Amino acid sequence: MDGKISLKEINSETSNLRKKDRKKHIICGIIGICISAVLTGMIIRSRAEAVDKKTAELQEHLSREVLRFHILANSDSEKDQEVKLEIRDAVLDYMKSHMEADGQDACTVTQTKTWVSAHLGDLEAVACRILRENGFSYEARAEVTDTYFPEKRYGDITFPPGNYEALRIELGKASGHNWWCVLYPNLCFMDTTCAVVSEEGKEELKEALEEDEYEMITASSEFKIRWFFFGDHTFEKAAEKEK
């Protein structure tokens, strides 16, 4: 009848309103998910950048407190690799005995760098002597240089990647696998099946670093995860407990 709305029309209109309402909810839900995803991504990126910044600051500080040792073999042949390790042992033995004789057995990183720089010719001569004794004709070259190192683990200590000052010895073409350790503090170990650094070396490193920095290199992955989520608040709480 004219002027009257049938029940069918009412139901149709109600159904249309419900469909529109569902669409609005769906659109709002999608928008909410997108906003949440964007905000989560921004937070994750911000925390990741904070961790990267913390790692970079640690590496910069650590690089001033250590002197690393880097030997590059002539090639990857078995003989070249074997003589590389023999030279490693000879150089470390020479440094230990002669630094003690010079009264530098309990020196600082600055004194170690100074001593090494002043005795490069002697260290090079040690390496060349080992080469001659083993019948090699190529030479050894020693220098103190600033060089890039990838992330490296020494026992339970992990050094972040970056530039470090190092005693670098190149053998022949220096195109073979290399070997490295830390001269100061002494984190070198000879037996790779028992890669445990000395407590004395770790204690010297601990004294040179901040508490959170030392924790970062001795518990690298766990530290980064915790710092990612809690940042500096972790150490603020620890400091409050100590007071």
Side-chain angles (χ1 to χ4, degrees), residues 26-37:
I26 291 172
I27 292 172
C28 288
I30 292 173
I31 292 174
I33 291 171
C34 291
I35 292 174
S36 297

Side-chain angles (χ1 to χ4, degrees), residues 9-21:
E9 289 174 327
I10 292 173
N11 289 337
S12 177
E13 183 66 22
T14 301
S15 177
N16 288 335
L17 290 172
R18 287 176 177 172
K19 287 180 180 178
K20 289 179 180 180
D21 193 48

Side-chain angles (χ1 to χ4, degrees), residues 79-136:
K79 289 185 177 180
D80 281 339
Q81 288 296 314
E82 286 177 352
V83 78
K84 173 193 73 175
L85 298 180
E86 191 172 338
I87 288 172
R88 170 201 69 185
D89 295 345
V91 168
L92 290 174
D93 287 343
Y94 181 89
M95 287 187 62
K96 185 176 185 300
S97 61
H98 284 72
M99 289 182 75
E100 287 179 354
D102 293 343
Q104 301 291 329
D105 55 316
C107 53
T108 65
V109 64
T110 301
Q111 290 172 323
T112 301
K113 291 177 180 179
T114 300
W115 189 94
V116 169
S117 297
H119 292 79
L120 285 175
D122 297 330
L123 299 176
E124 194 172 278
V126 169
C128 287
R129 174 176 58 79
I130 299 299
L131 288 174
R132 299 294 171 267
E133 289 176 355
N134 285 272
F136 292 96

Side-chain angles (χ1 to χ4, degrees), residues 17-233:
L17 290 172
R18 287 176 177 172
K19 287 180 180 178
K20 289 179 180 180
D21 193 48
R22 282 199 297 270
K23 286 182 179 178
K24 288 181 180 178
H25 279 87
I26 291 172
I27 292 172
C28 288
I30 292 173
I31 292 174
I33 291 171
C34 291
I35 292 174
S36 297
V38 171
L39 289 175
T40 300
M42 290 174 65
I43 292 171
I44 290 174
R45 180 178 179 180
S46 176
R47 294 310 305 155
E49 288 176 349
V51 173
D52 289 342
K53 181 181 178 182
K54 184 69 176 177
T55 303
E57 291 173 351
L58 166 66
Q59 190 279 323
E60 184 177 354
H61 185 193
L62 192 60
S63 68
R64 298 193 297 267
E65 302 296 337
V66 303
L67 176 64
R68 301 181 76 162
F69 184 23
H70 194 198
I71 302 181
L72 290 84
N74 177 62
S75 75
D76 285 336
S77 72
E78 185 176 350
K79 289 185 177 180
D80 281 339
Q81 288 296 314
E82 286 177 352
V83 78
K84 173 193 73 175
L85 298 180
E86 191 172 338
I87 288 172
R88 170 201 69 185
D89 295 345
V91 168
L92 290 174
D93 287 343
Y94 181 89
M95 287 187 62
K96 185 176 185 300
S97 61
H98 284 72
M99 289 182 75
E100 287 179 354
D102 293 343
Q104 301 291 329
D105 55 316
C107 53
T108 65
V109 64
T110 301
Q111 290 172 323
T112 301
K113 291 177 180 179
T114 300
W115 189 94
V116 169
S117 297
H119 292 79
L120 285 175
D122 297 330
L123 299 176
E124 194 172 278
V126 169
C128 287
R129 174 176 58 79
I130 299 299
L131 288 174
R132 299 294 171 267
E133 289 176 355
N134 285 272
F136 292 96
S137 58
Y138 55 77
E139 299 295 323
R141 299 170 300 281
E143 63 178 340
V144 174
T145 181
D146 189 62
T147 187
Y148 177 83
F149 287 83
E151 182 176 279
K152 178 65 177 175
R153 191 172 183 84
Y154 301 95
D156 57 350
I157 294 177
T158 302
F159 276 39
N163 280 26
Y164 295 85
E165 198 165 5
L167 166 61
R168 179 184 176 100
I169 298 180
E170 295 183 353
L171 306 177
K173 297 178 180 178
S175 59
H177 278 93
N178 51 57
W179 181 91
W180 46 51
C181 76
V182 178
L183 286 176
Y184 184 90
N186 181 18
L187 302 180
C188 296
F189 47 82
M190 302 299 102
D191 185 1
T192 55
T193 62
C194 184
V196 179
V197 298
S198 69
E199 290 300 321
E200 181 181 354
K202 288 194 289 187
E203 190 61 33
E204 289 177 349
L205 189 60
K206 186 176 183 179
E207 290 178 0
L209 302 176
E210 298 293 333
E211 182 179 350
D212 60 323
E213 292 178 327
Y214 185 75
E215 184 180 358
M216 191 170 186
I217 63 173
T218 53
S220 182
S221 59
E222 296 88 345
F223 178 94
K224 288 180 180 179
I225 291 171
R226 187 167 66 255
W227 213 86
F228 180 90
F229 288 107
F230 303 108
D232 286 327
H233 297 299

